[in-house]
Amino acid sequence: MVAKRDFVSVDDLSGSEILALFRAADRFEADLRAHSGQCPGTILATLFFEPSTRTRLSFESAMLRLGGGVISASEAGSTSATKGESLADTVRVVGGRYSDIIVLRHPFEGAARVAARYASVPVVNAGDGAHEHPTQTLCDLYTLWRQKGKLDGLEVLLAGDLKYSRTIHSLAYALARFGSNLVFQPFPGLEIPESVLVRLERDFSVDVRRARAFEIKGLGAGKDAVYVTPNKPHQNTLFTQIDDEEIDRIDAIYMTRLQRERLEGNEDPTRTDRYPSLDPAQFQGKRFKDMGLMHPLPRVDEISYEFDDDPRALYFRQAALGVPIRMALLAFLLGRLELDAEPEAPHPAGRSREPRERAVYRSAVGLRCKNPRCVTHAPHERYVVPEFLEIREAPPLLRCVFCDWEVEPALIGHAQSRRLHRSNAAEAQRIGAARRVYFEDEAQATAAGFGNA
Amino acid sequence: MVAKRDFVSVDDLSGSEILALFRAADRFEADLRAHSGQCPGTILATLFFEPSTRTRLSFESAMLRLGGGVISASEAGSTSATKGESLADTVRVVGGRYSDIIVLRHPFEGAARVAARYASVPVVNAGDGAHEHPTQTLCDLYTLWRQKGKLDGLEVLLAGDLKYSRTIHSLAYALARFGSNLVFQPFPGLEIPESVLVRLERDFSVDVRRARAFEIKGLGAGKDAVYVTPNKPHQNTLFTQIDDEEIDRIDAIYMTRLQRERLEGNEDPTRTDRYPSLDPAQFQGKRFKDMGLMHPLPRVDEISYEFDDDPRALYFRQAALGVPIRMALLAFLLGRLELDAEPEAPHPAGRSREPRERAVYRSAVGLRCKNPRCVTHAPHERYVVPEFLEIREAPPLLRCVFCDWEVEPALIGHAQSRRLHRSNAAEAQRIGAARRVYFEDEAQATAAGFGNA
Amino acid sequence: MVAKRDFVSVDDLSGSEILALFRAADRFEADLRAHSGQCPGTILATLFFEPSTRTRLSFESAMLRLGGGVISASEAGSTSATKGESLADTVRVVGGRYSDIIVLRHPFEGAARVAARYASVPVVNAGDGAHEHPTQTLCDLYTLWRQKGKLDGLEVLLAGDLKYSRTIHSLAYALARFGSNLVFQPFPGLEIPESVLVRLERDFSVDVRRARAFEIKGLGAGKDAVYVTPNKPHQNTLFTQIDDEEIDRIDAIYMTRLQRERLEGNEDPTRTDRYPSLDPAQFQGKRFKDMGLMHPLPRVDEISYEFDDDPRALYFRQAALGVPIRMALLAFLLGRLELDAEPEAPHPAGRSREPRERAVYRSAVGLRCKNPRCVTHAPHERYVVPEFLEIREAPPLLRCVFCDWEVEPALIGHAQSRRLHRSNAAEAQRIGAARRVYFEDEAQATAAGFGNA
């Protein structure tokens, strides 16, 4: 029996699988009503522990168009049946005979990974807190690929709130993986987080440069832009003027909503009144002739209604393409669609994906993920043992396998001797990987019975 | 490509189309389970911005019986995805690839018309505030037609709350259009509004007479009745005794629920205790032998349970027939059912429908609909430009194309000269239709930069 | 036309029908996705007047796997359409043309029986207050039957909260009916109610003995155990030591959740901290080698996660089997599955079911059910006339046909003479059954116009 496949993160699919899904989605899109014989008797369960009508409807539509059925707990978090029940139990029941595939939305980061471990059927992540929403990313990539015929070498400008938008971070990693060039052009104060740039450089072998970009009216002066290119020779300059030198066209602008609720208390609310509202007049040069304007929707005011009739407006098309790409994904995970692709193939553009061979550290005592919204801290999921990928050995850098937050433990203990060392001490390095026990601080170590040498 | 058809108002179908739908519904009704091959792979989206379980279930049942699928946002108004999003955006997304037809319920009057304009798929109005609920009317007509074999020349008595019941007003127009005779027999204080009578006379060429009707025990003395007949010679009497003279049989009594919540503050609550509760004993004469008792359900106390076993009780049958008639409507709008009918045919009974050639006035500045619940005043729908049908030229009478409220603008300005005139002034009449700008009062005109000549 | 069948109580199916359903469920279970041609065009309505996501999803999955459609009012109690409407009206509408079968969950005990009387389609009880949840029982029986190959002669231990658990009482009656032996081993203070034991003895011809049972660590000393066996010769001892003497193996342990909310005010909350949490270490003897551990789920802490990987853990399997057994039940009630069984056959194990010939007493005046949660006391269901089965004639014992609560009326009146007698008086016995009018007390009799002789 072939092992089941889940889709918790974009990384769960190889590059060639993603491209094969796009080709399959094209076949579905050609006539959406012609595929109702694909999955008869098959059932999708949507378990939404927080509401997201649009995402839910898109998945349900995809399944119904494949001829399957849908059962839905659209407010799973508030019903008595699931109140207080662990996610592991819920998905073991719902994925028992009730359904053949589960689509999960959950407020805790990493929840979908936990669900995938316990469910006997494939699990699709429809958003786990601020962590990932990989089918949104898949849909964004598909829209671009369909519009431009490729992803490699595209010039994509990401604009607006680059700090709090989950969509943007996932999309940036995915575009880098497929060889697109990126221009980050933030609304002042909502710059792309340093941690995202670090990870782009480290995991996707790209060049990251501070730059001064185009002045797009309303989008700010562009002086805090960042330019990301794959494999170009380093130029060793802190600042580059990218507008005329390198980019003679923009293939797509991805605009984001201001997450106003994230700003409260932190920022000056009056300032956000200047958040841009894009209209066609701002994009009139030759450079913008073929650009597509994308947005994950719903929009508030950041794209004016005048753009709706402009042929460059892609956002409604982007929402529409969510159905055929989800049809392809569901049919694939259900074993009803064979992909002309290699599961673990190298990236088609020659760049390597994040190595899968990283060691996993199970932290029965001691180290805990520092993300308070990580599923390992959820009140009903205490059975989950924290696990970390070892990203770097010395000094140690660990990444939570559930929510991807990184932590640098200050102390390392020896599992047998219970002796404790600073992480950067030579003694610490001499402890074999299987005997290391990580701690954040002495209090944590003491509580676990470890002490100084 | 044939233009899509919507069903926002009963007037969106021609009389011959409605009769053809009835014949199609009869075929569905003959065996409801035999039509699951009609719409495979096809999806209905129910978008309910206020709850109405019964209406929603009836539509969903109809679609499922046609072999299609259903996606449902049954509390669309309270979810984060749609909160703050415009109706135009919502229906463009949900009608993108998610669904092939949208059924909308919305608290604002005229909302379904807005949705129909923006959605690329057919939109069916499942109730827009107190405005219309046209599939209820369609179902009422179908029940009568099926029971009596025709609509022309029927004697239909409408009883109870004739003031606040949306159902009754739509039904009255529709019955008048098909040539039924109507007796309005209100609960005292809840008479049929004058505006409905005016419109009946003006738009449906009927005779409207104050009359003294039958004394039906519990239904009041009947002294405030109104009798509506098509094309009869005027009798020039204010009052007629209609019971013995003209009506030797009643074909149907349509009873309504007291909208108790509408009365608060306005009326004496104790008085409503005398709201009728019909039972078979009240309808024992020869005149009532073949009558059908109808009610839109749910009932409160206005029809006693003793009526349930009376063969004249039609109300459960009426609810049941909502499924086959909605099957016919959905199949027709989806292009899966060809009707043996002419879309713009003259009324089968020879009377003309409301003329469709009336000019439309787009009010970019100035005049606004006076209905506070009109969709043009909804907080998220500010992109909608008010539009009015020109019902009468001098003095001007305009009807909102969204909610049907009428307004008589007091002032007319000249679009170029910006000069202002009283609506009934000779100068106002001389301004060409294309140059007229309507205002309610001087303050509104001044705000728009118009002034007195 | 064959009369419709409902499933309101386990007793609505004969023993041979239940066993035939198990065999049919086995065929569905063999490949759940292979039966989508079974019920095309057929619609299940789930009417849930209180939420129960898990039960709802299980039914919906079953119907979809049969190729039918589902319409769902998952919060029927809170919507305007049903608020204030009687259950009789709701099911007459929803069972009109909307659906072909109704699954009902309702907070009032006996509500499903009322619904079954008024709906023209089959009604399945998915839980009516604390009364019955018969498909849970059916699923429990099916799990045991599938695991052990039979029900007759099994040794089943019921543990934990035996006082408030609806599941346990229904299961006990059903197991007794099929000839299993039962050990009740309660958490102290939550013993099986005396009324359940009385009914077991009276209606199922079993032997009920106080006993001292195994000491299962954490389950208490077992000194308040009860042992129920079919047809064994009476031993005339109050206490039996059952552990070694009679039971050399346990086939199943059925563990229950502590209904913590039921305890408030009544019990010492700290004491409930000692409610057991079962783990594999507690069940290590030879006697427990082949036992299956069952639980209706969701669990709180009463079964540890360590049990999940033990092959004796049946609870997830039990939940999963809810789908094929519900498929069999729905297909049978819809007339799409012929059972190789006799509807009114004697019990396969030779024991008689509860006699169906008991007289029914309609109580238009006087006697009312004493259960405050009985549907006859529900505010919107006042049209329901109380009815009682005559369990015993002298002194009279009556059982509510809706909620099964029993009452012993103190007074009997004569319908014509209106004379009143004590129930145990000789005069009372002389009144013919058709002329008896029962009362609880004199006040009730006086209010109805009955007086002392």
Side-chain angles (χ1 to χ4, degrees):
Chain A
M1 210 188 96
V2 184
K4 70 157 178 152
R5 296 284 298 269
D6 302 294
F7 189 61
V8 171
S9 153
V10 175
D11 290 339
D12 288 341
L13 291 174
S14 75
S16 74
E17 283 174 333
I18 290 174
L19 294 171
L21 282 180
F22 293 168
R23 293 189 296 269
D26 273 1
R27 294 192 296 273
F28 288 121
E29 166 71 5
D31 182 359
L32 288 171
R33 303 196 207 178
H35 306 275
S36 63
Q38 191 94 7
C39 298
T42 305
I43 294 177
L44 166 78
T46 49
L47 292 183
F48 275 53
F49 286 79
E50 59 182 20
S52 175
T53 304
R54 177 159 309 191
T55 301
R56 180 174 61 79
L57 294 185
S58 181
F59 273 109
E60 295 183 0
S61 176
M63 189 68 207
L64 292 170
R65 293 213 186 269
L66 291 169
V70 174
I71 57 175
S72 180
S74 56
E75 296 186 21
S78 64
T79 66
S80 63
T82 51
K83 212 182 287 175
E85 187 181 43
S86 74
L87 184 57
D89 277 15
T90 299
V91 301
R92 278 186 284 194
V93 169
V94 173
R97 287 298 182 277
Y98 291 30
S99 67
D100 304 297
I101 191 165
I102 291 174
V103 172
L104 178 78
R105 185 165 193 121
H106 201 279
F108 278 97
E109 303 179 21
R113 187 65 72 194
V114 169
R117 289 196 176 182
Y118 283 91
S120 61
V121 299
V123 170
V124 178
N125 185 1
D128 55 341
H131 180 224
E132 282 224 42
H133 187 6
T135 59
Q136 174 73 53
T137 305
L138 205 59
C139 173
D140 294 342
L141 292 176
Y142 175 47
T143 305
L144 259 180
W145 176 87
R146 205 176 140 89
Q147 197 70 15
K148 301 293 173 187
K150 61 168 187 177
L151 293 173
D152 194 53
L154 295 185
E155 302 284 344
V156 181
L157 190 152
L158 306 169
D161 171 6
L162 305 184
K163 186 173 178 184
Y164 296 111
S165 168
R166 161 177 65 185
T167 317
I168 284 289
H169 305 171
S170 293
L171 182 61
Y173 297 136
L175 285 170
R177 184 174 154 197
F178 278 99
S180 295
N181 304 310
L182 306 176
V183 184
F184 293 111
Q185 194 151 339
F187 180 68
L190 297 172
E191 285 78 18
I192 189 92
E194 196 58 32
S195 62
V196 173
L197 297 179
V198 165
R199 190 161 171 198
L200 275 169
E201 276 196 304
R202 193 184 61 207
D203 294 347
F204 298 95
S205 319
V206 296
D207 228 42
V208 172
R209 284 181 287 151
R210 308 287 144 169
R212 174 178 298 276
F214 336 96
E215 286 214 29
I216 299 176
K217 202 184 135 225
L219 259 189
K223 66 181 161 56
D224 294 314
V226 173
Y227 191 48
V228 172
T229 50
N231 296 102
K232 292 206 179 162
H234 274 267
Q235 305 198 343
N236 292 323
T237 54
L238 247 180
F239 265 79
T240 307
Q241 187 79 12
I242 59 174
D243 48 3
D244 297 316
E245 288 177 39
E246 308 196 27
I247 305 180
D248 57 356
R249 67 166 208 291
I250 289 290
D251 290 300
I253 294 185
Y254 199 101
M255 186 66 194
T256 53
R257 191 172 49 250
L258 177 63
Q259 314 260 327
R260 225 171 279 272
E261 66 281 11
R262 298 308 245 301
L263 293 182
E264 275 174 58
N266 299 331
E267 317 261 340
D268 171 11
T270 61
R271 213 175 48 78
T272 66
D273 295 347
R274 285 176 285 127
Y275 198 78
S277 176
L278 307 185
D279 66 66
Q282 292 162 266
F283 300 92
Q284 283 185 330
K286 178 166 155 259
R287 177 186 284 138
F288 300 111
K289 200 168 74 68
D290 292 323
M291 86 174 195
L293 179 59
M294 299 176 73
H295 188 286
L297 298 182
R299 64 176 153 180
V300 184
D301 296 313
E302 60 277 4
I303 296 178
S304 92
Y305 273 65
E306 284 162 56
F307 231 129
D308 296 357
D309 297 322
D310 189 299
R312 296 172 298 178
L314 281 188
Y315 34 91
F316 288 122
R317 189 148 186 66
Q318 181 185 355
L321 291 173
V323 175
I325 190 65
R326 285 185 176 95
M327 288 172 78
L329 178 70
L330 294 176
F332 167 62
L333 296 176
L334 284 163
R336 302 293 174 111
L337 175 71
E338 286 228 21
L339 292 184
D340 177 23
E342 293 167 67
E344 297 295 329
H347 188 282
R351 275 169 299 276
S352 62
R353 289 197 293 147
E354 182 177 343
R356 295 198 164 262
E357 310 75 35
R358 280 170 173 157
V360 172
Y361 171 71
R362 273 177 68 89
S363 182
V365 297
L367 197 66
R368 289 293 172 267
C369 181
K370 301 181 73 140
N371 174 5
R373 300 295 298 165
C374 177
V375 68
T376 55
H377 299 303
H380 301 308
E381 322 302 343
R382 298 228 178 80
Y383 55 92
V384 179
V385 176
E387 289 181 22
F388 298 88
L389 286 178
E390 297 188 331
I391 302 298
R392 193 182 56 210
E393 203 177 340
L397 173 66
L398 299 170
R399 183 192 298 158
C400 175
V401 303
F402 301 106
C403 76
D404 285 323
W405 273 42
E406 295 182 345
V407 57
E408 296 185 289
L411 302 167
I412 299 180
H414 187 290
Q416 265 90 48
S417 72
R418 307 238 147 194
R419 272 198 219 109
L420 204 57
H421 308 275
R422 302 252 111 224
S423 288
N424 51 7
E427 296 95 323
Q429 307 310 321
R430 280 194 291 269
I431 306 176
R435 293 196 166 131
R436 290 182 173 199
V437 183
Y438 292 106
F439 299 100
E440 280 181 73
D441 52 39
E442 296 214 14
Q444 198 178 58
T446 307
F450 286 70
N452 284 325
Chain B
M1 210 188 96
V2 183
K4 71 156 177 151
R5 296 284 298 268
D6 303 294
F7 189 61
V8 170
S9 155
V10 176
D11 290 339
D12 289 342
L13 291 173
S14 75
S16 73
E17 283 175 334
I18 289 174
L19 294 171
L21 282 180
F22 292 169
R23 293 190 296 269
D26 273 0
R27 293 192 298 273
F28 288 121
E29 167 70 5
D31 183 359
L32 287 171
R33 303 196 206 177
H35 305 276
S36 63
Q38 190 94 4
C39 298
T42 305
I43 294 177
L44 166 76
T46 48
L47 292 181
F48 276 53
F49 285 80
E50 59 181 21
S52 174
T53 304
R54 178 160 307 191
T55 301
R56 179 173 61 79
L57 294 184
S58 180
F59 273 108
E60 294 182 0
S61 175
M63 189 70 207
L64 292 170
R65 293 214 186 268
L66 290 169
V70 173
I71 57 175
S72 179
S74 57
E75 295 187 20
S78 65
T79 66
S80 62
T82 52
K83 211 182 288 176
E85 188 181 41
S86 73
L87 184 58
D89 276 16
T90 298
V91 300
R92 278 186 285 195
V93 168
V94 173
R97 287 296 183 278
Y98 291 30
S99 68
D100 304 297
I101 191 165
I102 291 174
V103 172
L104 178 79
R105 187 167 192 119
H106 200 280
F108 278 96
E109 302 179 20
R113 187 65 73 194
V114 169
R117 289 195 177 183
Y118 283 92
S120 60
V121 300
V123 169
V124 178
N125 184 2
D128 54 340
H131 181 224
E132 283 223 41
H133 187 7
T135 59
Q136 174 73 54
T137 305
L138 206 59
C139 173
D140 295 342
L141 292 176
Y142 176 48
T143 305
L144 259 180
W145 177 87
R146 205 176 140 89
Q147 198 69 14
K148 301 294 173 185
K150 61 169 187 175
L151 294 173
D152 195 53
L154 295 184
E155 303 284 344
V156 182
L157 190 151
L158 306 169
D161 172 5
L162 305 184
K163 186 173 178 184
Y164 295 112
S165 168
R166 161 177 65 186
T167 316
I168 284 289
H169 304 171
S170 295
L171 182 61
Y173 298 136
L175 285 171
R177 186 175 153 195
F178 277 99
S180 295
N181 304 312
L182 307 176
V183 183
F184 294 110
Q185 193 152 340
F187 180 68
L190 297 171
E191 286 77 18
I192 190 91
E194 196 58 34
S195 63
V196 173
L197 297 179
V198 165
R199 191 162 169 195
L200 276 170
E201 277 197 302
R202 192 184 61 208
D203 294 347
F204 299 95
S205 320
V206 297
D207 228 42
V208 172
R209 281 180 290 153
R210 308 288 144 168
R212 175 178 299 276
F214 336 94
E215 285 211 32
I216 300 175
K217 200 184 135 226
L219 259 189
K223 67 181 160 57
D224 295 313
V226 173
Y227 190 47
V228 172
T229 49
N231 298 102
K232 291 206 178 160
H234 274 267
Q235 306 198 342
N236 292 321
T237 55
L238 248 181
F239 266 78
T240 306
Q241 188 79 13
I242 59 174
D243 48 2
D244 298 315
E245 289 177 39
E246 309 195 26
I247 306 180
D248 57 357
R249 67 166 207 288
I250 289 290
D251 291 298
I253 294 185
Y254 199 101
M255 186 64 194
T256 53
R257 190 170 50 248
L258 178 63
Q259 313 261 325
R260 226 170 277 272
E261 65 280 12
R262 301 306 248 299
L263 293 181
E264 275 175 55
N266 299 331
E267 318 260 341
D268 171 13
T270 61
R271 213 174 48 78
T272 66
D273 295 346
R274 285 176 284 128
Y275 198 79
S277 176
L278 308 184
D279 67 67
Q282 293 161 265
F283 300 92
Q284 284 184 329
K286 179 168 155 255
R287 178 187 284 139
F288 300 111
K289 198 169 76 70
D290 292 323
M291 87 174 194
L293 179 59
M294 299 176 72
H295 189 286
L297 298 183
R299 65 176 152 179
V300 185
D301 297 312
E302 61 276 3
I303 298 178
S304 92
Y305 272 65
E306 283 160 58
F307 232 128
D308 296 358
D309 297 322
D310 189 299
R312 296 172 298 176
L314 281 188
Y315 33 91
F316 288 123
R317 190 146 185 67
Q318 182 185 355
L321 291 173
V323 175
I325 190 66
R326 285 184 175 95
M327 289 172 78
L329 178 69
L330 294 176
F332 167 62
L333 296 176
L334 283 163
R336 302 293 174 111
L337 175 71
E338 287 227 22
L339 293 184
D340 177 23
E342 293 167 67
E344 298 295 327
H347 189 282
R351 274 169 298 278
S352 61
R353 288 198 295 145
E354 183 177 345
R356 295 199 163 261
E357 310 76 34
R358 278 170 175 156
V360 172
Y361 171 71
R362 273 177 67 89
S363 182
V365 298
L367 197 67
R368 289 292 171 268
C369 181
K370 300 181 75 142
N371 174 5
R373 301 294 297 165
C374 178
V375 68
T376 56
H377 299 304
H380 300 309
E381 321 304 342
R382 299 228 178 82
Y383 55 92
V384 179
V385 177
E387 290 180 24
F388 299 88
L389 286 179
E390 296 187 332
I391 302 298
R392 191 182 60 210
E393 203 176 339
L397 174 66
L398 299 170
R399 183 192 298 157
C400 174
V401 303
F402 300 105
C403 76
D404 285 324
W405 274 42
E406 294 182 344
V407 57
E408 297 185 290
L411 302 168
I412 299 181
H414 186 289
Q416 264 91 47
S417 72
R418 310 239 146 192
R419 270 194 222 113
L420 205 58
H421 308 276
R422 304 251 109 224
S423 288
N424 53 7
E427 295 94 325
Q429 306 310 321
R430 281 195 290 268
I431 306 176
R435 292 194 166 132
R436 289 181 175 200
V437 183
Y438 292 106
F439 299 100
E440 280 182 72
D441 52 40
E442 295 215 13
Q444 197 181 58
T446 307
F450 285 69
N452 284 325
Chain C
M1 211 189 97
V2 183
K4 70 156 179 154
R5 295 285 298 267
D6 302 294
F7 189 60
V8 170
S9 155
V10 175
D11 290 338
D12 289 341
L13 291 173
S14 74
S16 73
E17 283 174 334
I18 290 174
L19 293 171
L21 281 180
F22 293 168
R23 294 190 296 270
D26 273 0
R27 293 193 297 273
F28 289 121
E29 166 70 6
D31 182 359
L32 288 171
R33 303 196 207 178
H35 306 275
S36 62
Q38 190 94 6
C39 298
T42 304
I43 293 176
L44 167 76
T46 48
L47 292 183
F48 276 52
F49 285 79
E50 59 182 21
S52 175
T53 304
R54 176 159 308 191
T55 302
R56 181 174 59 80
L57 294 185
S58 182
F59 273 109
E60 294 182 1
S61 175
M63 188 70 207
L64 293 170
R65 294 215 185 267
L66 291 169
V70 173
I71 57 175
S72 180
S74 56
E75 297 186 20
S78 65
T79 67
S80 63
T82 51
K83 211 182 288 174
E85 187 181 42
S86 74
L87 184 57
D89 276 17
T90 299
V91 300
R92 278 185 284 193
V93 168
V94 173
R97 287 296 184 276
Y98 290 31
S99 67
D100 304 298
I101 191 165
I102 291 174
V103 172
L104 177 79
R105 186 168 193 117
H106 199 281
F108 279 96
E109 302 178 22
R113 187 64 72 195
V114 170
R117 289 196 176 182
Y118 284 91
S120 60
V121 300
V123 169
V124 178
N125 184 2
D128 54 342
H131 180 222
E132 282 225 41
H133 186 8
T135 60
Q136 174 72 54
T137 305
L138 205 60
C139 173
D140 295 342
L141 293 176
Y142 176 47
T143 305
L144 260 178
W145 176 87
R146 205 176 141 90
Q147 198 69 14
K148 302 293 174 187
K150 61 170 186 174
L151 294 173
D152 194 53
L154 295 183
E155 302 284 344
V156 181
L157 190 151
L158 306 170
D161 172 5
L162 306 183
K163 185 172 179 186
Y164 296 111
S165 169
R166 161 177 64 186
T167 316
I168 284 289
H169 305 171
S170 294
L171 182 61
Y173 297 135
L175 285 170
R177 186 175 152 196
F178 278 100
S180 296
N181 303 311
L182 307 177
V183 184
F184 294 110
Q185 193 151 341
F187 180 68
L190 297 172
E191 285 78 18
I192 190 91
E194 196 57 33
S195 62
V196 172
L197 297 178
V198 165
R199 191 161 170 196
L200 276 169
E201 279 196 302
R202 193 184 59 208
D203 294 347
F204 299 95
S205 320
V206 297
D207 228 42
V208 171
R209 281 181 290 153
R210 309 287 144 170
R212 174 177 300 275
F214 336 96
E215 285 213 32
I216 300 175
K217 200 183 136 228
L219 258 190
K223 67 179 160 60
D224 294 312
V226 173
Y227 190 48
V228 172
T229 49
N231 298 101
K232 290 205 180 163
H234 274 268
Q235 305 197 345
N236 291 325
T237 54
L238 247 181
F239 266 79
T240 307
Q241 187 80 11
I242 59 176
D243 47 4
D244 297 316
E245 290 177 40
E246 309 196 27
I247 306 180
D248 57 356
R249 68 168 206 287
I250 290 290
D251 291 299
I253 294 185
Y254 199 102
M255 185 65 194
T256 53
R257 191 170 49 249
L258 177 63
Q259 314 261 326
R260 225 169 278 272
E261 66 281 11
R262 300 306 247 299
L263 293 183
E264 275 174 56
N266 300 331
E267 317 262 341
D268 170 13
T270 61
R271 210 174 50 79
T272 66
D273 295 347
R274 285 177 284 127
Y275 198 79
S277 175
L278 309 184
D279 66 68
Q282 294 162 265
F283 300 91
Q284 283 184 331
K286 178 167 156 260
R287 178 186 283 140
F288 300 110
K289 199 169 74 70
D290 293 323
M291 86 174 193
L293 179 58
M294 299 177 71
H295 189 285
L297 298 183
R299 64 176 153 180
V300 184
D301 296 313
E302 59 277 4
I303 297 178
S304 92
Y305 273 65
E306 282 160 58
F307 233 128
D308 296 358
D309 297 322
D310 189 299
R312 297 172 297 178
L314 281 188
Y315 32 92
F316 289 123
R317 189 148 186 66
Q318 181 185 356
L321 291 174
V323 175
I325 190 64
R326 285 184 175 96
M327 288 172 77
L329 178 69
L330 294 176
F332 168 61
L333 296 176
L334 284 163
R336 303 293 175 110
L337 175 71
E338 287 228 22
L339 293 184
D340 177 24
E342 293 167 66
E344 298 295 327
H347 187 282
R351 274 169 298 279
S352 62
R353 288 197 293 145
E354 183 177 345
R356 295 198 164 263
E357 311 75 34
R358 277 169 175 158
V360 172
Y361 171 71
R362 275 176 67 87
S363 182
V365 298
L367 197 67
R368 290 292 171 268
C369 181
K370 299 181 77 142
N371 174 4
R373 300 295 298 164
C374 177
V375 68
T376 56
H377 299 303
H380 301 308
E381 323 302 343
R382 300 228 178 81
Y383 55 92
V384 179
V385 177
E387 290 181 22
F388 299 87
L389 286 179
E390 296 187 331
I391 302 298
R392 193 183 57 209
E393 204 177 340
L397 174 65
L398 299 170
R399 183 191 298 156
C400 174
V401 303
F402 301 105
C403 76
D404 285 323
W405 273 42
E406 294 181 344
V407 57
E408 297 185 289
L411 303 168
I412 298 180
H414 187 289
Q416 264 92 46
S417 72
R418 308 239 145 193
R419 272 197 218 108
L420 205 57
H421 308 276
R422 302 252 110 225
S423 289
N424 51 7
E427 296 93 324
Q429 307 311 322
R430 281 194 290 268
I431 307 177
R435 293 195 166 131
R436 289 182 174 201
V437 183
Y438 291 107
F439 299 100
E440 280 182 71
D441 52 39
E442 296 215 12
Q444 198 180 57
T446 308
F450 285 71
N452 284 325

